[in-house]
Amino acid sequence: MGGKVTCTLGEVKNRADFIVYWGGNPAECHPRHFTKYTLMQKSKFLPRGRKDRTVVLVDIRETKSAKAADHFLQVRPGKDFELLTILRALIKDQKVSEEQVAETGLSLEVLKDLIEKMKAAKFGVMFFGMGLSMTRGKHMNAAALLTLAAEMNAFTKFVAMPMRGHGNVTGADVIMRWQTGYPFGISLNRGYPRYNPGEFSTVDVLVRGDTDCAFIIGADPGATMPKPAIDHLAKVPTIVLDPHVTHTSRLSRVHITTAPAGIAAPGTGYRMDEVPMPLKPALQSPYPSDEEVVRRIRETIALRPDWMTNQPQMIEAQI
Amino acid sequence: MLRITGGTIYDPANGINGEVRDLYIADGKFSSKFDAGRTIDATGMVIMPGGVDVHTHVAGGSINFGRARTPEDHRRTHAFIRSKTRRSGLGGMAPTTFATGYLYAGMGWTTVNEAAVPVLSARHTHEELNDIPIVDKSSLVLLANNEIILDLLEEGEDERAKQIMAWYIWAAKSYGVKAVNPGGVASWKYGNDSKHLTSKISGYDHITPGTIVTKYAKMIDELGIPHPLHLHCNNLGAPGNVETTLETMRHLEGSRAHFAHLQYHAYGGDDWGNMRSEAARLAEYFNAHTNMTTDAGAVLFGDTVTITADGPWQHLLYKLTGRKWGNLDVENETGCGIVPYTYRPSNLVNAVQWAVGLELLLLINDPWRVFLSTDHPNGACFWRYPEIIQLLMCADYRNECMANLPLNIKNKISLPEISREYTLYEIATITSAGPARSLGLKHKGNLGIGKDADLVIYHQDKDIARMFGHPRYVFKGGEIVIEEGDIRETPDGKEYLIQPFYEPDIDEFLRPRFEDRYCMSFENYPVEMERIEHAQIQKCTGDDAEDGDSQ
């Protein structure tokens, strides 16, 4: 079994002499990433910076990030899992047939060369984006890549990291974990946390029409979710907290304008490597922060009678 | 005001061993007077100071990584249901924050020390500590693989290294220093380890793990930090590692030191097949050297998740078990590894580990220097402490448990020859008075006048595990928080930290080195004081004022 073998971004800056981007396009989606954390930085261990690093891009098409890479490997769409599994076999000198390799759109020669370079690295890192984790195979693809990185540690130092985006999504993930044990897809409707992605994930709950209210903070599902989910948001009382008027605001019953976090409201942002960064507001805003609005709503709700009564303090086993 | 009458009191800090006395509480402290107020009749019950955990992992990036890796355990464990005054949570191998507070208080523990915090993510640790209700908290920062400090030792700049150490402690708003596999985790950054005190550290020529432990203990003593160097030795978990541990102890003669989870460092043999206990040898040395304290890091059979800054060890454990592996290297500072693990009585290595933890607790003869811990969640979860207390207090029960061990364990452990049984007085020492003294928390683990009114009242019960698992009352700061298994109140705990002295110009010395190593701005790095809820700054020795806490 694999797991998650990773590091903070400073380790990549200081040590990574071999960097793979898989199914991501940081040149356009994470514009400061190359210069701040990975390619361009010089360090005690990599004094020549970019010249001391080898960069590989694996994607289904030649994006702008390919220009920043030394090697571009064009994988056939939907064949990421196969390619990763072949690499896992090849690093252990297991046999792989020509036909299996050909299916991925790459040649055995190219893959063997890649593995040689991976094993020769002193510190390798694999970043992966939604081109891997949100296409055919989804979390199985991510698991295959994480396992490859874990298994590479039999030969040399190797780590992997998802290229996350969308503001403070990592922060939400981190806090949900310490408060409920789970990162997302959580139901609290029995009075304690339960986890089931696919059942309790926001999109599934909305598509099934399982909620009679929606409270949206700092997200715009009205722009990105499938139509049945959006239709449900329009049907129930939806409340939006956002500095801007969004697609979701337009179909909501209430939009509360809040101060933008990090610009006019303080707080903590968790970077994609889970390093917490203090947010120091540079401007003043006439609007309240998200935190203040949520606190005031909570105080008001607390005045009402509890709807969940006669519950035990604890249950020994969950059902 | 409140009065507790008729209870049998075990208060080792004041030498009170099973005497019936009344206790008075006013304003959250023990008082000498009682005018009016509620009286609690504790006749026939046992009273001890609230438990103090000197070494646990309950908050921050590493335990949260462990939570992420074990959803299958959250699903099967007990769940706390929310009410108007209580938050919901899950217990199990890596409990959620709110549940952590309920579970500790639920068995009478009122102070916990989070033993491993990277400075880089200390902000996160404090946010989690703020979400652990009822208990008071402190934390230790991981500095023994900090490359900026190691570079200074390599350059022979020891005085500057000490200043930087003080700077880091304050930057993290922490209470002391934890050293994990000194030099070994730095080597792990390139996939290596440094197992012995003379081993090479990758990237360094002049310093070894031996240099680090010796100098760190000295620097911590010179800074007057209340708790000594809190050390996780090199070569954890490996057969034959007792030599490394003894060598480390010899290096530290003349300094104060706390040896964390000594169980993992007390093995003989040279292979998994012939691994044996060397607890007796270690205890003999330990008994003769009073500069040291330790916590057991005892193992109980069952499922858990192992969590440590010792990255290379976790890679080995992953290779041994083939189970999920989490690893997080933290730039410039430390590492972190996560592997779920099941201790089985049928497994010879696990059986030896189980015996070693108990042997250390039983063979170290001064209960003021050996403390109850499981290195939660590594050896077992903290909420299983009552089971260990039962094993310590009942030799018959121990013998019963030993019957389940593999036959070929004979001659590999010394537990069958040990007949010692802990007394209640000794239990109160290893669970409360001792760890409080080691942490330098003078108002904890002590039922004396003016001390914090944290105490636990147990029913007398022949079933020791039940007695310690289900207190009649738990008081925190003079308030009843647990009554017969019910959570009554969930006050916020305090957080203890220290501000050791460093020269103000150290900032400008550090800045270029920092900017070279890290990838965040220097100004954003230190945790702001206002992020610590209910902060209590403790004095370092050499500070002007008397002991005790001040704001």
Side-chain angles (χ1 to χ4, degrees):
Chain A
M1 223 184 267
K4 184 180 177 188
V5 179
T6 190
C7 65
T8 62
L9 284 163
E11 280 298 286
V12 178
K13 165 189 148 175
N14 291 340
R15 295 174 198 268
D17 57 352
F18 188 84
I19 303 172
V20 180
Y21 291 97
W22 196 305
N25 180 13
E28 287 180 284
C29 304
H30 294 73
R32 297 275 287 138
H33 173 88
F34 286 155
T35 45
K36 266 195 95 170
Y37 303 116
T38 59
L39 307 193
M40 310 315 290
Q41 289 281 340
K42 291 176 180 168
S43 76
K44 175 180 169 186
F45 306 111
L46 305 165
R48 299 184 304 152
R50 179 67 184 86
K51 290 196 189 71
D52 285 330
R53 305 183 199 255
T54 304
V55 181
V56 176
L57 177 72
V58 184
D59 211 336
I60 57 166
R61 63 198 157 83
E62 198 167 337
T63 61
K64 278 195 179 162
S65 295
K67 283 197 190 72
D70 300 305
H71 308 281
F72 171 60
L73 273 59
Q74 189 160 8
V75 58
R76 192 166 289 161
K79 293 292 174 191
D80 297 280
F81 182 84
E82 287 80 350
L83 178 54
L84 285 161
T85 309
I86 287 168
L87 290 173
R88 284 183 57 201
L90 289 176
I91 60 168
K92 287 172 264 185
D93 295 324
Q94 289 165 350
K95 252 185 100 167
V96 179
S97 73
E98 291 281 351
E99 300 81 64
Q100 285 170 314
V101 176
E103 250 185 64
T104 66
L106 294 159
S107 71
L108 192 59
E109 197 182 314
V110 167
L111 298 190
K112 284 199 163 153
D113 178 59
L114 175 66
I115 279 166
E116 207 173 291
K117 289 193 172 80
M118 284 166 72
K119 288 188 176 176
K122 283 188 81 180
F123 186 114
V125 56
M126 303 175 82
F127 290 102
F128 60 100
M130 291 201 288
L132 181 74
S133 60
M134 289 294 162
T135 54
R136 180 179 166 267
K138 290 196 171 179
H139 60 280
M140 298 300 288
N141 296 346
L145 182 137
L146 291 169
T147 307
L148 173 62
E151 290 176 347
M152 274 303 295
N153 280 272
F155 308 99
T156 185
K157 182 82 185 179
F158 239 87
V159 297
M161 197 186 301
M163 295 291 291
R164 303 188 79 169
H166 295 289
N168 199 6
V169 63
T170 305
D173 171 329
V174 165
I175 293 175
M176 294 307 277
R177 250 154 56 205
W178 87 55
Q179 297 201 340
T180 72
Y182 306 118
F184 63 91
I186 304 157
S187 168
L188 293 160
N189 63 4
R190 285 191 190 161
Y192 63 89
R194 289 182 303 150
Y195 175 59
N196 198 11
E199 183 182 8
F200 301 142
S201 320
T202 315
V203 62
D204 303 291
V205 170
L206 291 176
V207 166
R208 283 198 312 274
D210 272 0
T211 61
D212 54 9
C213 181
F215 187 67
I216 315 277
I217 309 176
D220 192 9
T224 53
M225 283 201 177
K227 190 161 181 303
I230 294 173
D231 289 346
H232 187 70
L233 283 173
K235 205 157 65 186
V236 298
T238 292
I239 304 152
V240 172
L241 268 57
D242 207 290
H244 313 287
V245 171
T246 65
H247 288 89
T248 318
S249 311
R250 294 203 173 87
L251 52 83
S252 69
R253 238 32 97 74
V254 180
H255 168 103
I256 301 172
T257 303
T258 52
I263 296 172
T268 310
Y270 281 76
R271 226 163 55 179
M272 73 183 197
D273 56 356
E274 298 194 4
V275 172
M277 312 291 278
L279 301 179
K280 296 174 180 168
L283 302 172
Q284 281 208 321
S285 168
Y287 301 109
S289 68
D290 291 322
E291 189 193 1
E292 190 189 335
V293 173
V294 173
R295 195 174 50 239
R296 282 166 61 184
I297 292 173
R298 190 171 151 258
E299 281 164 9
T300 309
I301 290 174
L303 298 174
R304 299 167 67 113
D306 196 2
W307 62 276
M308 268 182 55
T309 49
N310 298 323
Q311 290 279 337
Q313 170 179 291
M314 191 192 87
I315 51 171
E316 291 288 342
Q318 297 168 45
I319 28 157
Chain B
M1 291 186 99
L2 200 139
R3 173 169 62 178
I4 302 164
T5 60
T8 308
I9 293 181
Y10 296 88
D11 178 16
N14 295 297
I16 300 172
N17 182 4
E19 292 171 34
V20 176
R21 288 195 186 191
D22 292 352
L23 291 171
Y24 308 136
I25 296 170
D27 301 325
K29 314 261 183 208
F30 292 108
S31 163
S32 57
K33 289 196 301 283
F34 177 72
D35 300 327
R38 182 175 172 188
T39 297
I40 286 175
D41 181 6
T43 307
M45 297 183 200
V46 167
I47 301 184
M48 291 183 180
V52 178
D53 200 333
V54 75
H55 186 105
T56 185
H57 304 288
V58 289
S62 60
I63 187 78
N64 218 29
F65 198 1
R67 292 184 189 113
R69 302 262 74 75
T70 53
E72 70 282 6
D73 182 64
H74 306 329
R75 186 69 183 83
R76 68 184 176 184
T77 187
H78 45 259
F80 288 91
I81 297 177
R82 71 147 188 85
S83 72
K84 286 206 90 165
T85 54
R86 270 193 330 268
R87 303 287 295 266
S88 66
L90 302 173
M93 305 186 317
T96 59
T97 49
F98 305 118
T100 298
Y102 305 151
L103 287 165
Y104 260 116
M107 58 174 191
W109 260 249
T110 49
T111 305
V112 301
N113 181 40
E114 161 56 56
V117 182
V119 187
L120 186 62
S121 59
R123 194 172 269 111
H124 170 181
T125 307
H126 291 299
E127 288 192 346
E128 280 200 38
L129 288 173
N130 289 342
D131 271 354
I132 298 179
I134 307 178
V135 296
D136 289 339
K137 294 144 292 200
S138 58
S139 66
L140 306 177
V141 271
L142 294 156
L143 291 181
N145 293 283
N146 184 304
E147 290 152 30
I148 290 177
I149 301 182
L150 297 193
D151 286 354
L152 288 168
L153 295 185
E154 175 95 350
E155 294 158 21
E157 290 255 24
D158 293 10
E159 178 55 33
R160 196 88 81 169
K162 187 172 84 189
Q163 299 267 321
I164 303 274
M165 174 183 275
W167 185 93
Y168 267 115
I169 293 168
W170 180 242
K173 301 295 175 284
S174 179
Y175 187 71
V177 177
K178 169 81 173 297
V180 172
N181 187 356
V185 181
S187 293
W188 169 243
K189 298 292 175 68
Y190 273 137
N192 307 315
D193 196 356
S194 307
K195 287 183 186 301
H196 309 290
L197 292 190
T198 51
S199 296
K200 180 175 164 53
I201 300 169
S202 303
Y204 296 92
D205 295 321
H206 305 301
I207 57 168
T208 62
T211 326
I212 301 174
V213 293
T214 319
K215 292 197 171 176
Y216 270 50
K218 201 164 150 265
M219 295 192 301
I220 288 162
D221 286 352
E222 284 171 7
L223 289 169
I225 295 172
H227 185 55
L229 172 65
H230 193 107
L231 177 60
H232 157 144
C233 294
N234 301 73
N235 212 5
L236 173 139
N241 65 6
V242 69
E243 302 302 340
T244 313
T245 312
L246 285 166
E247 188 58 26
T248 309
M249 289 180 171
R250 283 190 280 270
H251 272 71
L252 290 170
E253 277 180 28
S255 295
R256 297 179 304 156
H258 177 85
F259 283 75
H261 41 70
L262 198 57
Q263 179 276 127
Y264 288 106
H265 305 276
Y267 310 142
D270 53 20
D271 194 1
W272 296 112
N274 65 16
M275 181 173 130
R276 62 174 190 273
S277 165
E278 287 286 3
R281 216 173 122 205
L282 206 51
E284 191 187 325
Y285 184 93
F286 189 90
N287 284 336
H289 294 82
T290 54
N291 58 319
M292 299 180 282
T293 54
T294 188
D295 62 89
V299 157
L300 290 172
F301 298 118
D303 290 323
T304 193
V305 54
T306 64
I307 292 174
T308 172
D310 199 337
W313 166 254
Q314 294 296 74
H315 181 228
L316 178 69
L317 198 58
Y318 156 71
K319 287 194 290 185
L320 284 171
T321 61
R323 292 179 70 168
K324 291 181 267 193
W325 176 33
N327 178 82
L328 173 64
D329 291 339
V330 179
E331 63 210 53
N332 187 62
E333 295 182 7
T334 182
C336 164
I338 311 286
V339 181
Y341 193 78
T342 306
Y343 292 96
R344 298 175 207 280
S346 56
N347 175 305
L348 188 63
V349 170
N350 295 163
V352 168
Q353 292 178 308
W354 176 84
V356 170
L358 298 172
E359 287 170 9
L360 287 167
L361 282 159
L362 292 162
L363 293 172
I364 293 175
N365 51 29
D366 181 0
W368 284 96
R369 294 204 292 126
V370 61
F371 314 130
L372 179 59
S373 84
T374 54
D375 185 18
H376 164 78
N378 287 296
C381 303
F382 67 81
W383 43 267
R384 296 183 68 188
Y385 286 171
E387 295 174 49
I388 302 177
I389 297 176
Q390 183 175 20
L391 286 161
L392 295 175
M393 291 187 69
C394 314
D396 287 347
Y397 177 65
R398 255 187 343 249
N399 292 332
E400 249 173 67
C401 294
M402 270 188 275
N404 299 325
L405 303 184
L407 288 173
N408 56 350
I409 200 161
K410 232 177 141 191
N411 304 324
K412 292 191 191 309
I413 58 174
S414 54
L415 195 59
E417 290 100 68
I418 304 172
S419 58
R420 179 178 169 195
E421 290 184 334
Y422 265 69
T423 62
L424 287 171
Y425 187 70
E426 288 171 332
I427 292 294
T429 313
I430 65 165
T431 59
S432 177
R437 182 184 285 182
S438 168
L439 285 168
L441 294 171
K442 293 175 183 172
H443 45 293
K444 296 291 179 194
N446 187 328
L447 303 180
I449 307 300
K451 308 299 182 187
D452 289 357
D454 302 345
L455 72 139
V456 51
I457 306 181
Y458 299 106
H459 291 291
Q460 294 264 19
D461 193 335
K462 282 207 173 65
D463 183 336
I464 298 294
R466 186 170 61 197
M467 170 176 165
F468 282 91
H470 299 85
R472 178 70 182 84
Y473 297 100
V474 180
F475 288 75
K476 170 66 188 22
E479 193 175 15
I480 297 179
V481 289
I482 304 287
E483 185 171 351
E484 206 72 277
D486 286 337
I487 304 164
R488 290 280 179 241
E489 298 293 337
T490 57
D492 291 342
K494 290 176 242 171
E495 206 189 320
Y496 296 105
L497 43 133
I498 54 168
Q499 186 173 15
F501 176 79
Y502 55 86
E503 299 291 343
D505 64 358
I506 210 72
D507 273 62
E508 286 320 303
F509 173 80
L510 186 57
R511 182 188 291 272
R513 289 177 184 244
F514 181 95
E515 284 168 354
D516 191 40
R517 290 287 181 157
Y518 287 87
C519 60
M520 72 191 287
S521 74
F522 188 58
E523 285 74 16
N524 281 339
Y525 183 78
V527 179
E528 306 86 339
M529 194 60 199
E530 59 269 21
R531 284 176 178 264
I532 317 293
E533 289 178 14
H534 312 287
Q536 299 276 313
I537 299 178
Q538 298 294 107
K539 298 286 177 195
C540 293
T541 53
D543 287 4
D544 296 327
E546 283 288 284
D547 63 80
D549 38 340
S550 61
Q551 193 62 52

